[in-house]
Amino acid sequence: SVLRRIGIDLSRVMVLKYSNQETSVTIGESVRDEDVFIIQSGCGEINDNIMELLIMINACKTASARRITAVIPCFPYARQDKKDKSRAPISAKLVANMITVAGANHVITMDLHASQIQGFFNVPVDNLYCEPSMLNYIKINVPEWKNSIIVSPDAGGAKRATSIADRLNLDFALIHKERKKANEVSRMVLVGDVNGKIAILVDDMADTCGTLKMAAETLKNNGAVKVYAIVAHGILSGNAIDVINDSCLEKLVVTNTIPHDDKKLICTKIDTIDISSTLAEAIRRTHNGESVSFLFSNAPE
């Protein structure tokens, strides 16, 4: 749908896997002195997809492309962005190095888990925000949204949630969570008053969805009428669909930075925000040398 909005055809590329699992890429047309955009999201068979992207970038570089832009709607390994314990790798920096060394001149991505990841690159990075699309969704699809309260399920997402709350002129609440180990929350404490209101949870990614389910229960126990969750990246791994179906969430709204059509078939609570228009406009403006800053006008400070 990005191509449809720009009005061009997809280039011919043949991607094969040899029997020993090596990836082979053949670009099916000339890219000499062309402005090349390679779209690949960090999802599914994530390591295969990263290798495919790197090989494709390198194939275009050695075929004399004028400029190569990697369009990565969901940046892989973005959560491994700091050394939070001894001997932990900073894998997001490693991925950034690989993309740069492969030959990318520019990177376009969406809602980075930590915006400092832009500093891991030595090439320009446009970090687009899906916040304007989230605001539109709330205004159009949440009945009586003026009686809502925006809730961040953890302290890290407070900036994103307060930014949305300010733009909608709504109140803001925060859930403090304590983790015993990764992907497992032990206790949640609500800071703020949600009694009699529609609670809208805002986060940057939904992976196993355990946090969202627990947060929704905490909000319901504190008197919230309904609970919606709006998330930038719907990773939805493991038994996430069962967790959502079993939760008291009214809707889980995710953007399509990661394809999830198959999951929507088995979970009626999932709703989609289409961000192809934002990506298409960023690509068009980048190609024409125009400002992309309009996409940042609603960005968190």
Side-chain angles (χ1 to χ4, degrees), residues 35-240:
D35 196 2
V36 178
F37 291 85
I38 302 169
I39 302 178
Q40 177 79 290
S41 205
C43 61
E45 296 289 335
I46 196 160
N47 296 328
D48 282 350
N49 288 350
I50 290 171
M51 280 308 298
E52 200 175 288
L53 173 67
L54 297 175
I55 294 168
M56 213 174 278
I57 290 169
N58 199 249
C60 291
K61 184 186 179 185
T62 54
S64 306
R66 181 165 50 89
R67 181 175 63 176
I68 302 162
T69 301
V71 182
I72 312 169
C74 182
F75 192 81
Y77 290 91
R79 282 175 286 186
Q80 298 182 37
D81 62 330
K82 58 184 177 290
K83 195 166 178 178
D84 52 0
K85 53 184 180 288
S86 298
R87 298 174 296 282
I90 306 175
S91 309
K93 169 69 172 166
L94 173 65
V95 173
N97 285 345
M98 291 194 298
I99 290 168
T100 310
V101 169
N105 309 111
H106 180 209
V107 174
I108 296 174
T109 186
M110 281 206 93
D111 267 283
L112 280 171
H113 182 67
S115 50
Q116 300 91 299
I117 291 172
Q118 292 168 96
F120 292 173
F121 286 89
N122 293 324
V123 296
V125 177
D126 284 332
N127 180 26
L128 312 179
Y129 293 92
C130 53
E131 187 181 293
S133 307
M134 287 179 172
L135 295 172
N136 284 341
Y137 182 91
I138 292 169
K139 288 175 182 172
I140 295 166
N141 297 292
V142 178
E144 298 174 32
W145 64 269
K146 290 185 178 175
N147 183 40
S148 299
I149 183 164
I150 306 295
V151 185
S152 173
D154 57 28
K159 199 178 268 189
R160 176 183 289 99
T162 47
S163 175
I164 288 177
D166 288 346
R167 290 196 163 82
L168 292 171
N169 202 19
L170 297 172
D171 287 337
F172 160 75
L174 176 75
I175 290 175
H176 169 64
K177 64 182 178 185
E178 294 171 359
R179 288 184 189 273
K180 280 183 179 166
K181 55 186 179 182
N183 276 0
E184 198 176 298
V185 178
S186 58
R187 194 169 77 97
M188 284 192 162
V189 182
L190 176 68
V191 183
D193 181 20
V194 299
N195 194 27
K197 294 190 175 178
I198 297 165
I200 302 174
L201 283 160
V202 176
D203 208 354
D204 72 323
M205 52 177 68
D207 191 353
T208 54
C209 294
T211 298
L212 288 179
K213 182 186 176 182
M214 215 167 159
E217 284 168 8
T218 306
L219 292 166
K220 279 279 192 179
N221 294 339
N222 282 274
V225 183
K226 286 180 182 173
V227 183
Y228 289 82
I230 300 187
V231 177
H233 305 296
I235 299 169
L236 307 178
S237 63
N239 65 338

Side-chain angles (χ1 to χ4, degrees), residues 280-301:
E281 186 64 8
I283 290 170
R284 189 190 67 76
R285 285 177 174 242
T286 300
H287 176 67
N288 293 335
E290 298 171 21
S291 166
V292 185
S293 61
F294 88 104
L295 293 164
F296 296 79
S297 59
N298 280 332
E301 296 301 324

Side-chain angles (χ1 to χ4, degrees), residues 14-25 47-48 51-52 55:
M14 190 163 70
V15 180
L16 294 174
K17 248 190 172 185
Y18 295 139
S19 56
N20 68 347
Q21 299 304 300
E22 281 183 11
T23 302
S24 162
V25 171
N47 296 328
D48 282 350
M51 280 308 298
E52 200 175 288
I55 294 168

